[in-house]
Amino acid sequence: MGKNFGTEYVFLILCGVFFCGLFYWGKKSLRIAGLCFLVGLSLPFLRDPLWDDGFNGRYVKVEGRVERVFQKGENQKLLLQGEKMNGAAVREKFYIRGVTTEYVPGEKISVEGFFRSPRAQKNPYLFDEQNYIRSLGAAGSIQAENISSLECVHWKLKGHLYVLSRLREFSRTTENLLQRSMLGYGEGDFDALREIGLAHILAASGFHLGLLSFFFLHFLLFSGLGKRQASIWTVLVLWLYGAFIGFPPGLLRSLVMFTLLIFSVPFRKRYDALDALCIAAWISLFINPWWLFQPAFLLSYGGTACLLILYPALQAWGVHKILALPLSVALGLLPWQLHFFGQWNPWTILANILFLPFFMVAFIGAFLYLIFGFIPLLGSILKFFVEQSSGIFLILSKDAAELPGRISTAAWNLPLIIVYFILLYLLFSPATRQWQVKKSWRKFLVTGTLFLCAAPCFQILYPPFVLRHIAIGQGDTALIQGSYNLMVDTGGEQ
């Protein structure tokens, strides 16, 4: 993709200033250096429009390697790292639609179809295709007309085929759950997990990396390695796993934070989780600034930031640490869940406490089965525990999703989300907590009043989008209500 001349050099200078602030300046200067992050963040958006080089709307033939798989089944979608386009060498990525044959990452294929540059969506209530394609790092999309496989011996292809073959030894439901959680793609209907607030386990994220790091680190320590050697080997294994599944935003965040934690000891640097989170955000957005438009990026970084900030505040308020952990994440992700999905389930907090241990057993057991499953007795024991724990997890999640109490509302807009986080800060800031030790009723009165005053204003500025169907006899009528009112009559021919 083209860039405006000089933009990349200014961005690299600001990057250097930021990292100098991290390692050589004081705490106050570090916050000032953070402004370089905000300024530098806007510079990559000055890039030229997405590359098409005159191919928009034309029939093209692209050869390349599958980098990511987004959905398996009849309507599979792929992210293809192009190598040749109409016989000429390219280095662009392409979003492939309409794939009817199942492919895995690392497989080399040839795709023929019509190339289309993504178009921006001006209606804020509808899907913005341009930002989504950009967030994938792709030049555009291709509606596949013909796809053929090419000879390939890539290590990632061999690894995915091995994992998929071993997971097929489980039941169909368990196989689909493990594919989604370990590889980031798969089949299966897991609507119950989305409704109960456990959808984060369906994509490889920081939660999965935390489980793997805990397991591998303690396994190596138990085998007799020293703490430093075990930590280094754990970091290498985790980065290899990240490369294996394609470094999704949430996983890359966890990899950077965990690596900084491990290497802060030999360099005698105090590890600050919030600073590590900022460094991970810098690296992620330097790679692809349009990740900002991915729900996975916002949910991952938003949930982690609220965990680091709200968890100590909730404990200071006397909330038990077992409850404070999921509660801090739930409070932080509430506005984003209402923005992206339009609903929130209060049973999410208890589900993360009571149900996740069963999934953790299945996840770790599945990795052990991939390594030691060839041993007859040990493989049978691991398979039994994985089947039972995953089955219990899915049954409990399905029953909990049917409980009443789910909150559905119009999608929150950005100003309302900002007001929510301001109120959250007023509730849990240290100054507020000290002021309200004896007069806690004032806090709820003030914040509640601010919220009630602010919410109607944003509803007036950004009225909800409502679509009503009215049966009038000859044909149906659609009434669209938003910032304007529009009635569409679909009556007879007369």
Side-chain angles (χ1 to χ4, degrees), residues 129-142:
E129 181 192 36
Q130 187 179 77
N131 285 336
Y132 178 71
I133 297 295
R134 282 179 169 178
S135 70
L136 299 177
S141 62
I142 298 177

Side-chain angles (χ1 to χ4, degrees), residues 19 37 252 256 278-288 291 301:
F19 280 103
F37 170 79
L252 181 60
V256 173
C278 292
I279 295 173
W282 175 278
I283 294 174
S284 298
L285 296 175
F286 181 77
I287 296 173
N288 189 348
W291 272 351
Y301 281 85

Side-chain angles (χ1 to χ4, degrees), residues 196-216:
I196 201 60
L198 296 175
H200 58 87
I201 71 167
L202 296 177
S205 62
F207 172 75
H208 305 80
L209 195 76
L211 292 178
L212 288 179
S213 62
F214 178 83
F215 167 74
F216 276 108

Side-chain angles (χ1 to χ4, degrees), residues 361-372:
V361 172
F363 186 77
I364 296 298
F367 267 97
L368 289 174
Y369 185 80
L370 294 177
I371 301 173
F372 303 108

Side-chain angles (χ1 to χ4, degrees), residues 146-204:
N146 183 29
I147 301 180
S148 58
S149 297
L150 304 176
E151 185 178 356
C152 179
V153 291
H154 197 265
W155 68 272
K156 186 182 291 188
L157 172 61
K158 293 183 177 181
H160 278 264
L161 292 177
Y162 170 76
V163 173
L164 292 173
S165 64
R166 298 308 301 269
L167 293 182
R168 291 192 184 98
E169 299 174 9
F170 295 98
S171 64
R172 187 63 174 172
T173 304
T174 303
E175 175 195 355
N176 292 334
L177 177 65
L178 294 176
Q179 279 189 23
R180 297 286 291 272
S181 58
M182 298 173 69
L183 302 177
Y185 61 89
E187 299 178 354
D189 184 10
F190 296 102
D191 290 338
L193 297 181
R194 297 185 179 90
E195 294 177 2
I196 201 60
L198 296 175
H200 58 87
I201 71 167
L202 296 177

Side-chain angles (χ1 to χ4, degrees), residues 467-484:
L467 176 62
R468 291 186 173 91
H469 292 281
I470 306 173
I472 59 175
Q474 264 189 315
D476 292 338
T477 295
L479 176 62
I480 303 173
Q481 294 179 298
S483 56
Y484 56 87

